[in-house]
Amino acid sequence: MRLSAALAASTLALVAVAGCSTEPDETAARDTAAEVAGAESALLAEHGLQGMTATQIVDTLDASTDPRPLALGASVKPGQVMLTDGVEEILLDLPEDKFYVSIAPFVDSTHECYFHSLGTCQGELTQEPVQVKITDAGGDILVDEEVTTGTNGFAGFWLPRDIAGTIEIEHEGRTGSVDFTTDDESPTCITTLQLSA
């Protein structure tokens, strides 16, 4: 595949595989990498993602109502989302001031996860209303709302980079909490938040 100068400038990388705070203008440019790639990549077009930003792709795939595993493999890391069909791999940069955390609260069963797989991760509580409160280490409330988990059992949130804090979730009289961080070494997948009476 031929990469244009615009693709090179946006640090989009295309490679073959065999398997499974920034200035506002810079952040906006970084998040348009997927739009540039959309014009070039049949992979994005084939999966209905052409013309979307990297954050829109993450949101779309995590909210997909299609049963897991999805036809497109996708993994969210602290600074990038990786998309693959098993032959072609596309790495798209995420905004430098945002960090994606996807949470699968559970009562009885969970799975180990570090980097959220948009195409394969499956949580226990699907399409369930949960009350989510996310607070940073200074006590500022970042999220305080009721959301419905997806068909994959996850609820995803874009949080500020380089912070620490606590996630609290309540569901049908059960509550649970976990600590989180959003730095370059942090997990994007939280499957350790157990709800108990």
Side-chain angles (χ1 to χ4, degrees):
M1 176 176 283
R2 210 172 148 186
L3 294 178
S4 66
L7 284 175
S10 68
T11 67
L12 175 67
L14 299 176
V15 295
V17 297
C20 185
S21 144
T22 302
E23 293 297 317
D25 289 344
E26 291 176 26
T27 300
R30 182 173 184 157
D31 196 30
T32 60
E35 291 183 8
V36 176
E40 302 282 329
S41 175
L43 180 66
L44 293 179
E46 180 182 343
H47 295 278
L49 304 173
Q50 189 171 17
M52 292 186 185
T53 65
T55 55
Q56 289 170 333
I57 288 172
V58 170
D59 290 337
T60 298
L61 293 176
D62 216 13
S64 173
T65 57
D66 293 339
R68 267 49 180 185
L70 299 179
L72 182 67
S75 179
V76 183
K77 297 189 178 175
Q80 294 181 314
V81 59
M82 181 275 292
L83 308 172
T84 183
D85 60 2
V87 176
E88 181 182 14
E89 180 182 281
I90 299 175
L91 299 174
L92 301 174
D93 287 334
L94 295 171
E96 292 180 0
D97 62 344
K98 293 181 180 181
F99 189 98
Y100 192 70
V101 175
S102 202
I103 309 155
F106 73 99
V107 175
D108 296 313
S109 63
T110 189
H111 64 281
E112 288 187 20
C113 185
Y114 200 84
F115 295 129
H116 184 47
S117 172
L118 300 166
T120 61
C121 277
Q122 182 63 56
E124 178 185 68
L125 301 177
T126 61
Q127 297 181 306
E128 291 286 336
V130 295
Q131 184 67 35
V132 179
K133 185 175 183 180
I134 303 177
T135 309
D136 71 14
D140 291 329
I141 297 172
L142 306 175
V143 175
D144 190 1
E145 61 183 276
E146 182 177 276
V147 299
T148 300
T149 58
T151 55
N152 64 351
F154 281 80
F157 300 91
W158 291 100
L159 302 176
R161 291 278 299 199
D162 298 321
I163 64 168
T166 304
I167 300 167
E168 301 171 74
I169 294 184
E170 180 181 356
H171 172 67
E172 295 184 348
R174 297 175 183 267
T175 60
S177 67
V178 293
D179 293 335
F180 75 94
T181 58
T182 62
D183 59 38
D184 288 339
E185 305 301 319
S186 298
T188 60
C189 186
I190 295 180
T191 57
T192 56
L193 196 155
Q194 185 168 22
L195 304 173
S196 58

